[in-house]
Structure formats: C-alpha cells, structure tokens
Amino acid sequence: MSEIERTYRVQGFTCANCAGTFENNVKELPDVSDAKVNFGASKLKVVGDVSIEDLEKAGAFENLKVYPAKEQLKEKPFWKQQQFAQTVISGLLLIIGWVLVFQRGESDVVAIGIFASAMVIGGYNLFWQGLENLAKLRFDMKTLMTIAIIGAALIGEWGEGATVVFLFAISEALERFSMDKARQSIRSLMDLAPRTATVIRNGQTVDVPVDEINIGEIMVVKPGQKIAMDGTVERGASTVNQAAITGESIPVSKGLADEVFAGTLNEEGLLEIKVTKRVEDTTIAKIIELVEEAQAERAPSQAFVDRFAKYYTPFIMLVALGVAVVPPAFFGADWSTWVYQGLAVLVVGCPCALVISTPVSIVTAIGNSARNGVLIKGGVYLEELGSIKTIAFDKTGTLTKGVPEVTDIISVNDYTDQDVLTIGAYLEKSSAHPLATAIMKAASLAGIEATEQTVADFRSVTGKGITGLVNGEPYFVGSPLYFEELNIVLPPQVHSLQQQGKTVILVGKQDHLIGYIGVSDQIRTSSPSLVRRLKELGITKTVMLTGDNKETAQAIGKELGIDEVRGQLLPHEKLNWVKQMKERSKVAMVGDGVNDAPALATANIGIAMGGAGTDAALETADVALMGDDLRKLPYAIRLSRKTLTIIKQNIAFALGLKVLALLLVIPGWLTLWIAIFADMGATLLVTLNGLRLLRVKDKEK
C-alpha cells in the first residue's frame, strides 16, 4: 500500500534557512517518511499521515500557518503581521534608550533595562531559534546573530546589541518583502480564473463553483467576462484576449469548435462553451503547478551558494573566535576591545544576503517568463538557456505554419486544371495525410463535390501515393518517385517547383500524366526575423531538421537564413544529429513536443511550441512557448542571460561588502553598527537587484 502524499500551502516564511529548518522539523514528525519545502512557492509536500496541527507545531518557531493546497491564500499586509508589531515596539524602545544614554550616560540602569526589553521583544523569535540551533550544534545566521547579541550584552554593549536586533529585524523584513514580490507573479496567475461560472442545468442558467462543474457541461460567458474553465465553443463567436495564458497581446477570434482556456477574457460576443477539463486539469492550473515546481528546482548557482553557505558559517565562527581570542591571548591586547571585534565579525558574517541572492532572482525570472507566455520548468533550464550556442528547429509547425496549402495546379496533355484537381480530390478524399487535406480544401473552394464520387479498388502505396478506379478507369496520385516507377517522364517544371520549396503531387493514368499540384507549408511570418534576432543575440549556428524532401528543405532554409539544413530525416536520425551537435556546443531543440520528443529530450534544452492546451508540449519540454510563437524565444534567452548576470552580481555584492567590512578588523575599526549596516546593505542590494528581472519585457508585445 502506497503512502499518503499531500501538498500544503505555508504562510509566514521569513527566510530560506527558516524553510530548511521547517522541512527538517516536519521530517522528524512520527509517521512522516519524507517532506519537501518549496520556499519559492511557499508550499510543503509531505509523504505520510500527519495533521495540520502537527505541521504547525513543527513551524511554531516562525509562527507558520499551514493550509490545504487548494486554498488560495491572501498574504497579510506586513503591518498586520506579528513581526511588524514586535519590530515597531523594539524600535520605539531603542529610541527611548538612546535618548536616556545621551542624557544620563551608558551606565544608566533604566536605559540598560529599556535596551534589554528592546532586545527581548524584537529578537524573541531570533533568540528562541538561535538557542535551539546552538543546542543542536546547527550553525546558521540566527545562531550567529544570537551569539553576537548575547555577547554584546555580556560585555556591556546593551545599546549596540539592541540596535543590532532592530536592524536585523528590518533586514528580515526586506527579505520577506523581496520574496513576496517575486511570488506575486504566480499569485496573480492564480487570481486569473474566476471561482464560479454560469452553466446551463435543466434549461436554466445557474452560477456554480468551478469545483462542481463536470466535463461536458455547457458554460455561458458574456462579453467582458473571464472564461472559468477550458473548453470548446459550442455556440457563438467572439474575440478572446489570451494574453494571460499565451502572452499574445492581440485578441484571437473564436468560433464553433475552437478551443478556449480558463483565465482568458471574452471581449465581444456571447459564448456557450462545452467544458473539456476539470478545474484542476485546466491549462492555467497546469501552468501554475509547473511554475511552482520550477521554482523549487535548484539552479546550479543556487546549489553552489547552498554548499558554500554550509561551510561559510562555521568558518566565520572560527574567524570570529580567532579575532576575539588571539590578539589579547598572544599579543597582550585588550580583551574587551577584541571580544567586541569578534562579535562584530559574527554579525558582518551573517549570510542573509548570500542565501537570498539566488532564490529571489530565480523566482522573479520564472514568474515573469510565465506571465509573458514562456514556461521555464526550473532554475537549471533558466541558467542553461543563456549559454546555448546552437539551436536546431523542426520545420513543420515550428518554422512553418504546419498547414499545407495548394499553391499551383498545372495541367498537361490537353487536360484542364479542373481535371487535375477533380481526379486528385476523388482519390485523396480517402486519405488522412495533411497534403490530402490541402487538396480537398482547394477542391471545395473550386466547387468540386469529391464526396459524391465513388472510387473502386482504392489502394495506398506507403510513402509513394495512392491509386483507384474512377468510373472504371485507373488513376494514380502520388510523388515524383512513384511516377518514375510507373515509367512516366516528368516535365522539368516539377523539379523547378521543388526548388521553390514546394511539395509536388502528380496526377495521372497508367501511361501518361494528367497534371501536377504544388503544395506548400507556408513559412510563419515571424520566422525570418526570428532567425535574424537569434544571430544578433550571439547564437552561432541555426540548424533545420525535417522529414521533408531535401530540395524543399533547402529552399525554405535558404529563405530563412538557416545555417545548416538536413532533410528526409526520420525521428531517430533527428536524435542522432542532436547528439552529434551536442559534442561541439550546447544545443537547444525547438519542436512541437510530440513527434520530436526524442530530440527534445536529448538536447541540452528542449523547447516546445504551442504549450497552451498541449499536454505533450508541457510534459516533454524544458521550456514551452505557450502562444505557439517563436518570437518568444529571443525574449527567453535575454531573460536567462540577464538572470545569470544578476545572480553573479548578487553573489559579488553579498561577499564583497562583507570582505570590505571584515578588512576593518585589521585596524580595529569594525563596530557592531558597521557590521549590521553592511549585512543589511548587502541584503537590500541583492533584493532590489533581483527584482530588476520584473522589468525584463518581451519586446514583441
């Protein structure tokens, strides 16, 4: 029997270390075999049978509140949180204490009592957790701060100890603010879809919570209303703003049988929509789930910071001990002065800024990309995307529209164009091939009723063409190779059409040609500019991998400015080409997420087109372009590179400011004031720098 796995939302996280402590506490609970905290999304996944009350006891050190995953939490404003009240009271007491010091001197008993009260009120949670960590020999930032503040009190520096408590509380508030701001992108996605919808039941329209709506029910959406569930249009026509899901800025026309998504806005007409997915399976729900999971995935830089911080904190404690003990013990320096310096080293060594430097950037970037129609499924892919040098594209449905159209109808041997299209349509009506669909569409537009004609002895010749009897006479429709096997001489114009990037379908009898049809999969209007922009971004090589014939592939590749074109490839051959390219540089593969799955999975980064409503694209790829729009790709690369730059800057800021502050130990100038301001300054710098990623926009919107 498998163990119970449940997901919860957590309210009240103040820092990444606190999230780690909470995770460890939950793992230690009876009947819990595993637990994982997603700090970026404020979620907890527990394997085991445990109550919410027990989980909240495990988070009592931070006064955490735990809720079922389906509940949409509204974060309390900062000024309504308990920590805010404690910080304000601590700050007021601190001011009163310093006023008394200036009036009566540092030894004033009342001032010392007020400072002590400020320390206890402002640092209650800090001391409680710090002492518990110390008892368990667990060394983190709260352990460092607890030792430093208690040490300051023991050597009589009550005022500075209280000031450090107050400023540390401000620093933690900055950290909470930054992560809350970063999570806001996901919270805004959660608010997109309405909680209720109007459905038709027993001939009446009634408002029903979305949780109670079943697949197959008809939902009524008026102009100006948001669509609550995924579905298909049963009646009506309108334009729908899909920007929230796909990032498209221009509303899309919707009519009978067209797919619509929860969270999108019906702008004009009244729509009746048949529900196709339950609320937990809608595209918006899947996006939110995948983005939250992506925020939990540690990027390489974050893994480095976590490993570094693990050894950094004990190292700082040893340095602080050395500063406090070595000068007075071996060089006759003043104990009080150097113990004070050692305490200041503990404060300045607090790794707050370092720990927050990467998560705030990753969470902000992934949330921003989701709002712009690009789903990046983890920090590792976000970082990898910026270092890609080679991009391989599938042709059909990626660089082209994926919908073939008839472009040329040419008759020979005294036949008419109508004859060519008529015979072609008669035989192709029984085929499900995309090229057959294009011919049937052209025939319908020409007024040819192909379905009324009976075709006897119909046979399909795999990979070559089809044959059948029309009015008792045999006809053949197929590729040039098929007709060469029939010993029919092909006119030179056939080769000319192929050189133009068109697929040629021939129509004939046993011994002569009736004519031929040119079919072309139209290039997306965005494709030429996309290739140009990628090269401007420094992509050194673009490759097109396609199963289409080589001449057609070469013609399209030349028109787009693709560096290398490989045609007539089977899926396993595409896979082999990706493997070969990976040996020379980092490769991204762009495809439709279905038949390109092996190549997508093998590339350093798999990028799927048309993620909206396409489960295969969402599942198989590392990155999904939700709006089926290749123009999102340069934006994603720019965002990745900007994120990498900001992470490096943040790590440099966090460590650089601390190194500068620590250098003040040499002349004995480091004070608790300077130490806490250096720590808070570094936290503020990395926070604001990380939030700059909210400003990276898709230039095509």
Side-chain angles (χ1 to χ4, degrees):
M1 183 176 174
S2 59
E3 290 188 274
I4 301 170
E5 181 176 298
R6 293 193 181 99
T7 303
Y8 303 90
R9 297 197 176 275
V10 185
Q11 192 176 60
F13 281 137
T14 58
C15 64
N17 274 339
C18 308
T21 302
F22 176 55
E23 181 180 290
N24 290 330
N25 289 351
V26 173
K27 286 179 179 177
E28 292 171 4
L29 291 173
D31 302 322
V32 172
S33 59
D34 194 22
K36 186 172 183 178
V37 168
N38 180 340
F39 175 58
S42 288
K43 289 175 76 174
L44 166 69
K45 191 173 286 185
V46 180
V47 179
D49 191 10
V50 63
S51 67
I52 286 179
E53 290 76 14
D54 288 337
L55 293 174
E56 290 187 340
K57 284 178 184 176
F61 68 96
E62 277 278 285
N63 197 28
L64 299 177
K65 298 297 178 187
V66 181
Y67 302 88
K70 286 187 177 181
E71 286 195 28
Q72 303 298 325
L73 304 186
K74 292 289 185 183
E75 287 287 337
K76 287 183 182 177
F78 178 63
W79 58 88
K80 291 185 178 180
Q81 295 177 13
Q82 180 184 339
Q83 292 96 328
F84 177 74
Q86 290 176 287
T87 303
V88 169
I89 294 169
S90 176
L92 292 173
L93 290 172
L94 186 64
I95 293 170
I96 295 169
W98 281 113
V99 169
L100 289 175
V101 166
F102 290 133
Q103 290 178 351
R104 305 180 186 180
E106 291 186 4
S107 58
D108 182 69
V109 176
V110 176
I112 290 172
I114 290 174
F115 283 139
S117 300
M119 290 167 72
V120 172
I121 293 171
Y124 175 77
N125 293 333
L126 166 66
F127 296 143
W128 196 91
Q129 186 62 39
L131 291 172
E132 183 179 315
N133 288 348
L134 196 57
K136 294 179 179 179
L137 297 180
R138 185 188 298 152
F139 300 113
D140 63 8
M141 63 183 76
K142 292 196 172 182
T143 312
L144 295 184
M145 296 301 290
T146 300
I147 295 171
I149 293 162
I150 292 174
L154 291 175
I155 64 172
E157 296 291 347
W158 292 94
E160 292 200 27
T163 304
V164 167
V165 168
F166 175 70
L167 293 177
F168 182 72
I170 297 295
S171 181
E172 283 209 317
L174 284 171
E175 193 172 333
R176 282 198 303 276
F177 167 78
S178 65
M179 288 306 298
D180 192 53
K181 188 78 173 172
R183 293 181 186 120
Q184 192 61 43
S185 294
I186 303 307
R187 202 167 294 129
S188 62
L189 285 176
M190 292 177 181
D191 293 336
L192 282 174
R195 302 278 184 267
T196 61
T198 303
V199 297
I200 299 174
R201 287 183 177 175
N202 301 320
Q204 302 290 319
T205 57
V206 291
D207 290 338
V208 180
V210 290
D211 291 342
E212 298 174 14
I213 298 176
N214 298 312
I215 293 173
E217 290 200 83
I218 302 299
M219 183 171 58
V220 179
V221 185
K222 297 176 182 177
Q225 286 186 334
K226 283 186 176 180
I227 298 169
M229 306 280 280
D230 283 11
T232 54
V233 177
E234 284 288 296
R235 186 176 292 118
S238 182
T239 56
V240 175
N241 188 328
Q242 300 188 149
I245 304 295
T246 65
E248 297 168 280
S249 56
I250 300 173
V252 180
S253 296
K254 297 290 183 180
L256 185 65
D258 284 339
E259 191 173 19
V260 292
F261 308 112
T264 57
L265 179 66
N266 179 25
E267 294 200 335
E268 293 177 356
L270 180 73
L271 292 176
E272 290 187 11
I273 297 165
K274 184 178 182 180
V275 176
T276 56
K277 294 180 182 178
R278 288 192 56 79
V279 64
E280 62 268 21
D281 299 322
T282 60
T283 299
I284 187 71
K286 189 160 285 189
I287 291 171
I288 291 167
E289 181 183 356
L290 289 171
V291 170
E292 289 186 330
E293 291 302 316
Q295 291 176 336
E297 291 290 328
R298 291 175 181 266
S301 57
Q302 188 172 349
F304 160 76
V305 167
D306 290 345
R307 286 195 305 271
F308 182 82
K310 182 180 178 181
Y311 299 104
Y312 167 84
T313 306
F315 171 75
I316 284 293
M317 294 191 73
L318 288 174
V319 170
L321 182 63
V323 168
V325 173
V326 172
F330 296 98
F331 301 103
D334 179 59
W335 277 98
S336 178
T337 300
W338 286 97
V339 168
Y340 176 85
Q341 289 279 297
L343 295 175
V345 169
L346 281 182
V347 174
V348 81
C350 180
C352 296
L354 185 64
V355 171
I356 194 86
S357 61
T358 302
V360 70
S361 304
I362 295 293
V363 171
T364 302
I366 288 176
N368 184 19
S369 68
R371 294 188 67 181
N372 280 281
V374 179
L375 180 59
I376 301 173
K377 292 171 66 175
V380 62
Y381 309 119
L382 178 66
E383 288 197 12
E384 189 93 329
L385 190 58
S387 59
I388 291 295
K389 291 299 179 185
T390 300
I391 298 184
F393 296 93
D394 173 47
K395 178 183 76 70
T396 306
T398 302
L399 293 170
T400 62
K401 294 177 181 177
V403 183
E405 297 176 5
V406 171
T407 56
D408 303 87
I409 302 172
I410 300 168
S411 57
V412 297
N413 297 328
D414 297 327
Y415 289 94
T416 65
D417 293 354
Q418 185 84 352
D419 294 333
V420 176
L421 188 56
T422 299
I423 297 298
Y426 284 170
L427 267 70
E428 292 284 15
K429 70 179 181 181
S430 300
S431 172
H433 195 280
L435 297 178
T437 304
I439 291 173
M440 292 302 297
K441 182 178 178 182
S444 177
L445 291 173
I448 299 169
E449 298 295 335
T451 54
E452 296 178 1
Q453 177 64 47
T454 302
V455 177
D457 197 22
F458 176 86
R459 287 186 296 112
S460 174
V461 183
T462 305
K464 296 177 182 178
I466 51 180
T467 181
L469 300 176
V470 178
N471 296 326
E473 292 190 63
Y475 288 92
F476 300 83
V477 174
S479 67
L481 178 64
Y482 187 28
F483 276 71
E484 285 174 353
E485 291 179 357
L486 295 172
N487 296 316
I488 294 176
V489 178
L490 304 182
Q493 290 88 342
V494 170
H495 184 61
S496 176
L497 283 178
Q498 289 179 323
Q499 286 182 319
Q500 295 173 35
K502 297 175 182 179
T503 300
V504 180
I505 300 170
L506 294 104
V507 180
K509 288 193 170 185
Q510 182 76 50
D511 57 354
H512 67 271
L513 193 64
I514 292 174
Y516 46 95
I517 301 169
V519 179
S520 175
D521 182 4
Q522 299 298 305
I523 292 173
R524 291 178 185 267
T525 55
S526 60
S527 293
S529 62
L530 162 82
V531 175
R532 186 173 62 253
R533 287 181 62 201
L534 288 175
K535 291 182 177 179
E536 289 170 357
L537 282 171
I539 299 300
T540 56
K541 190 173 186 179
T542 52
V543 183
M544 185 170 77
L545 306 176
T546 178
D548 211 337
N549 75 72
K550 292 180 180 179
E551 287 185 320
T552 300
Q554 289 289 350
I556 291 175
K558 185 177 180 181
E559 186 174 346
L560 293 176
I562 298 286
D563 297 321
E564 183 177 344
V565 176
R566 297 286 167 179
Q568 290 178 281
L569 296 179
L570 296 172
H572 74 273
E573 291 173 319
K574 287 185 181 182
L575 174 64
N576 290 335
W577 271 105
V578 170
K579 285 181 178 178
Q580 289 176 30
M581 288 187 288
K582 275 181 71 177
E583 293 174 2
R584 296 190 288 271
S585 68
K586 288 192 175 181
V587 178
M589 175 71 194
V590 186
D592 61 14
V594 183
N595 58 3
D596 297 310
L600 287 172
T602 302
N604 296 99
I605 294 287
I607 301 170
M609 293 285 292
T614 310
D615 291 345
L618 289 174
E619 295 300 330
T620 59
D622 306 316
V623 176
L625 307 179
M626 303 303 294
D628 202 19
D629 187 355
L630 275 175
R631 290 174 297 180
K632 302 286 181 187
L633 187 52
Y635 155 75
I637 292 172
R638 283 192 301 106
L639 178 67
S640 170
R641 291 177 180 174
K642 186 75 171 175
T643 304
L644 281 169
T645 299
I646 283 179
I647 287 172
K648 290 173 184 175
Q649 289 172 349
N650 281 353
I651 293 172
F653 287 153
L655 293 177
L657 274 176
K658 293 184 184 304
V659 170
L660 287 174
L662 288 171
L663 288 175
L664 296 178
V665 171
I666 297 170
W669 295 345
L670 184 62
T671 66
L672 285 173
W673 291 82
I674 293 174
I676 192 63
F677 273 116
D679 179 64
M680 190 170 72
T683 301
L684 183 59
L685 270 175
V686 302
T687 295
L688 296 178
N689 199 37
L691 291 178
R692 284 171 55 213
L693 289 165
L694 288 172
R695 296 167 55 193
V696 179
K697 301 297 181 187
D698 179 5
K699 291 180 179 179
E700 294 292 335
K701 285 183 74 172

